[in-house]
Every structure is written in structure tokens, then in C-alpha cells.
Amino acid sequence: MSEDSDAEKTEPASAKRLEQAREEGDVPRSREVATFTVLMAAGAGLWMTGDSLIRQLSTALVSGLSLTPEQVFDADVLINRILVDVVRVMLACLPLGVAVMAVALASPLLVGGWLFSGKAVMPNFAKLNPINGIGNMFSSNALVELFKAVAKALVVGLVAWLVVMKQKDAVIGLAVEPLKLGTVHLLNMLGSSFLFIVGALGFIAAIDGPYQVWHYANKLKMTRQELIQESKESDGNPQIKAKIRQMQREMAKRRMMADVPTADVVVTNPTHFAVALKYDDGMRGAPRVVAKGTDEVAAKIREIAREHKVTMLEAPPLARALFKHTEIGDEIPEALYAAVAEVLAYVFQLRLFSKGNGERPEVPKKLEVPPELDPFTASALLQPKNTNNGAPV
């Protein structure tokens, strides 16, 4: 049962899935909405600019037919007259053409939005496969498109029949009307009939638009396993991420070990902790921690320090405090300035002594480390005090 449920596409498409679909040129589209908006814009444009358009076309027609014998037999003059009339017709139709083109470009915003994808125009030879074509002919989407085509034909045909029957008497009456009045009357009837029939397409478009959005979302639905796999690909496989973190730790460890020879002193616990400190006189600020570690890492720090003759000082409270309250690259806490200054003074005096200058300094024994900074002392202070009979105070 669980395998069946996982195989069912019950989860909405993720943002990544939707973005991939858009990159491939796959967005919801409704041809009915686009057809309705363009035809309605054309009909409205003809309704508003019809009188002006007819006058300009009539003028162009009269001009084109009014030719003198000299113009007819002069090819250059005739060509110029034809070009002038063609430009006049184009200018007359230009406002309507621009309006229709603008609506055609804006109609995709109603369903799916604008999309420019190079993948959509790339040749896809899989579409030429006749087996796939036959399968698409009998798919559920093909049945829906067939139903839409039949419904559109029925609705538009019914509306057209009603419009024609309503204006039947007016059409017959055009025969007895004067030419100019009858022409205007005919154009008005054609315009109103056109708008009624296109309005019927609006009913189809109002249903097809939401359906295409629903169909697109349903088509891109994902199974639970696909969501899990996509999450792994996006966020990274946990095992790979753990491996990367391990490699990063190893690289950081190698960098840290490479800085140990540059340290001025290594403060030890003596075996569990080791913290390497460096102080640069040319730079402002307190001494910095260049390396630190416990157990095996601490042993490696001490080994490298011995190889490069870096001074090591056994100071358990200070080593524990430095390890607990600093990170690699950090300056030491202000509360430890006095203790670290005493350690560095001992290191610098020892260097002078090794060069034959001065007396051998004494190893600092009692370094001032605040109890709250030493993890060992701080944990002891937090333990409840006991009376002589063992009951807590």
C-alpha cells in the first residue's frame, strides 16, 4: 500500500519543477482565451473606427479608379498612383492593426504569462514518433479537446442562428432601403452580430482558462518520492554533506597544524589540552590563538612544537580557559591578559637567555586565571555544598 501511495502523484509541483517547466517552454495556455480577446478587440475596433475606416477606404477606392488616359498609359505615373493608394489603405488600417496586435501580445498575460524559451523552438524528433502520436490521439487530453471543439461549435452555431433569426426581417428590408442608408444599416447589423457571436466564445474562454490552469497544475504534480529526491538534490545528500564537512575539518586541521611552528608558546594541560598562542609586536591587539586541540590533536600540536623548538609551558587552568573561551584566530579574552602577558614575558626572556643575554627566567607557577573561566573550577563551584551529614545545604 505504501508503495502504491508513493507512486501516486498527489503532491503539488515544487518551485523547482515549475521553473524547469518554464525553461522548457511549458506553461498553461488557453487558445480560447487568446482567440476571444483578439476577436473582441478587432470587433470593438471596427465598431469604434468603422465610419472613419470606411470613408478612408472609399476615398482610396475612388482615387484608384479615377485615372486619366495619360495616367493609364504612363507606367511610372500608374505605379506611383498605386503606391500612394496602397499607403493610404495601410494608414487607414494601421490603428486597427496596432490595437489588435497589442491585444494579441497582451493576451498571454491572462493565462501563463509571457515566456521566451530557446528550448521550446529546438527540434524534438520524439514528436515525430507515430506510436506517440497515436497514443496522444486517444489520451484524456485529446478527448477534452474534442469535447471543447464540439461544445464551441454548438454554442457558436446556436448563437449565430439566434442572431440571424432575430435580424431576418431587417436583412430582407435592406433591399428596399437607399444604398447609403442600407450600407450603414448592414454594417451595424454585421458589427452587432459579430460581437454577439464572439461573446459566445467568451463563455467558452471563461471555462477553458481556469481549466487549463488546473490541468497544468495537475500535469506537473509529483509523487512523494520525487519530492524527497528533489530535496536531496537541492539540499545535498546527507552522506555527501557529512563527507564534505569531514574534509573541511581535515583541511582546517592541516592549516592549523601549519601555523603551530609560527606560535610563540604552546600552553598545555599537560596531556589533555594544548593551545598555541602568537603575539605580533607590529600589530595592535592582544595575542591570538593559532591552534588548539584536545587528546590526540593536543599531542600532535606538542609534537610539532617540539620539532620546531616552540616553547611549551605547562599551565592547566590557563590551557583549559583558553581552549574553552577562544576559537582559532580569536584574540584571548580580556580577563586572561595578565596571565598570558606573564607567560609571554617568560618566553621572551627565555629567548634572550638562549642567546646568552641575561639570566634564566623562572617558570611562572601561579598564573591568575579567573575561576569562572576555568571549566574545571567553574563546574566545581556549581556543585551543591554538603553538610557534615551529607545533606545539601
Side-chain angles (χ1 to χ4, degrees):
M1 291 294 292
S2 61
E3 293 179 358
D4 295 340
S5 62
D6 288 341
E8 294 178 359
K9 294 185 176 183
T10 57
E11 306 299 325
S14 63
K16 182 179 179 180
R17 180 73 172 268
L18 293 173
E19 184 62 27
Q20 288 177 345
R22 288 189 65 86
E23 290 177 358
E24 295 173 359
D26 186 9
V27 293
R29 283 283 183 257
S30 174
R31 286 177 293 181
E32 312 305 332
V33 172
T35 302
F36 167 72
T37 54
V38 171
L39 290 178
M40 184 59 74
L46 284 173
W47 186 275
M48 292 184 292
T49 64
D51 294 340
S52 174
L53 181 61
I54 289 174
R55 285 196 301 269
Q56 295 182 56
L57 292 178
S58 299
T59 302
L61 180 62
V62 172
S63 174
L65 296 177
S66 301
L67 298 174
T68 63
E70 293 79 7
Q71 293 174 339
V72 172
F73 295 104
D74 191 335
D76 293 335
V77 174
L78 183 62
I79 291 174
N80 289 334
R81 285 293 304 274
I82 293 174
L83 291 177
V84 169
D85 293 335
V86 169
V87 171
R88 187 176 298 173
V89 172
M90 292 177 63
L91 291 177
C93 298
L94 183 62
L96 179 62
V98 171
V100 173
M101 184 177 296
V103 173
L105 292 175
S107 60
L109 295 176
L110 298 175
V111 181
W114 281 334
L115 178 65
F116 302 94
S117 174
K119 293 183 179 180
V121 298
M122 295 296 291
N124 186 359
F125 296 102
K127 295 182 178 180
L128 301 178
N129 190 339
I131 298 177
N132 293 339
I134 295 174
N136 292 333
M137 289 175 59
F138 296 97
S139 64
S140 58
N141 188 48
L143 294 177
V144 171
E145 292 298 326
L146 176 62
F147 175 77
K148 281 168 42 181
V150 173
K152 182 166 61 174
L154 291 176
V155 171
V156 174
L158 177 62
V159 172
W161 182 78
L162 292 175
V163 169
V164 171
M165 294 303 295
K166 184 177 181 180
Q167 297 185 352
K168 177 180 60 174
D169 297 336
V171 172
I172 296 174
L174 290 175
V176 297
E177 291 184 0
L179 178 61
K180 188 173 183 179
L181 181 61
T183 303
V184 174
H185 193 187
L186 175 63
L187 290 176
N188 288 334
M189 287 192 296
L190 290 175
S192 60
S193 301
F194 179 84
L195 290 179
F196 275 113
I197 295 173
V198 173
L201 288 177
F203 174 75
I204 303 293
I207 298 175
D208 186 63
Y211 167 77
Q212 293 297 339
V213 174
W214 172 85
H215 176 70
Y216 178 77
N218 190 62
K219 180 181 66 174
L220 293 184
K221 277 186 176 181
M222 307 172 66
T223 64
R224 197 173 306 169
Q225 183 61 34
E226 287 175 337
L227 280 178
I228 295 173
Q229 184 64 29
E230 183 181 283
S231 177
K232 286 183 178 180
E233 293 175 356
S234 301
D235 301 335
N237 192 306
Q239 296 179 351
I240 297 177
K241 291 173 67 176
K243 185 66 176 178
I244 292 174
R245 286 195 296 267
Q246 180 183 357
M247 294 175 62
Q248 290 174 341
R249 287 194 296 267
E250 292 177 354
M251 292 174 63
K253 180 180 176 181
R254 286 196 293 269
R255 288 195 299 268
M256 180 184 73
M257 294 303 179
D259 291 336
V260 172
T262 67
D264 294 312
V265 63
V266 175
V267 184
T268 65
N269 190 31
T271 56
H272 295 296
F273 295 92
V275 181
L277 301 177
K278 180 178 178 60
Y279 179 67
D280 192 345
D281 293 335
M283 297 181 64
R284 295 181 179 180
R288 293 182 178 273
V289 176
V290 296
K292 70 172 189 174
T294 60
D295 300 330
E296 294 180 1
V297 178
K300 187 64 177 179
I301 292 174
R302 292 194 302 271
E303 179 184 346
I304 296 175
R306 280 193 294 268
E307 291 177 358
H308 294 84
K309 295 181 173 54
V310 177
T311 303
M312 289 189 290
L313 177 66
E314 183 178 332
L318 180 59
R320 292 192 297 264
L322 288 171
F323 182 86
K324 177 68 175 179
H325 299 287
T326 59
E327 296 295 336
I328 297 173
D330 290 351
E331 294 183 354
I332 64 172
E334 186 176 353
L336 299 177
Y337 279 3
V340 174
E342 190 174 348
V343 171
L344 291 176
Y346 164 74
V347 171
F348 295 147
Q349 290 174 10
L350 188 61
R351 289 179 182 174
L352 292 175
F353 172 74
S354 63
K355 294 178 181 179
N357 298 325
E359 298 179 355
R360 184 180 185 88
E362 294 183 3
V363 178
K365 299 294 185 182
K366 295 182 180 181
L367 299 174
E368 296 182 2
V369 177
E372 64 273 12
L373 294 185
D374 183 359
F376 180 78
T377 306
S379 61
L381 292 175
L382 293 175
Q383 295 294 328
K385 296 181 180 180
N386 294 336
T387 60
N388 293 333
N389 59 5
V393 178

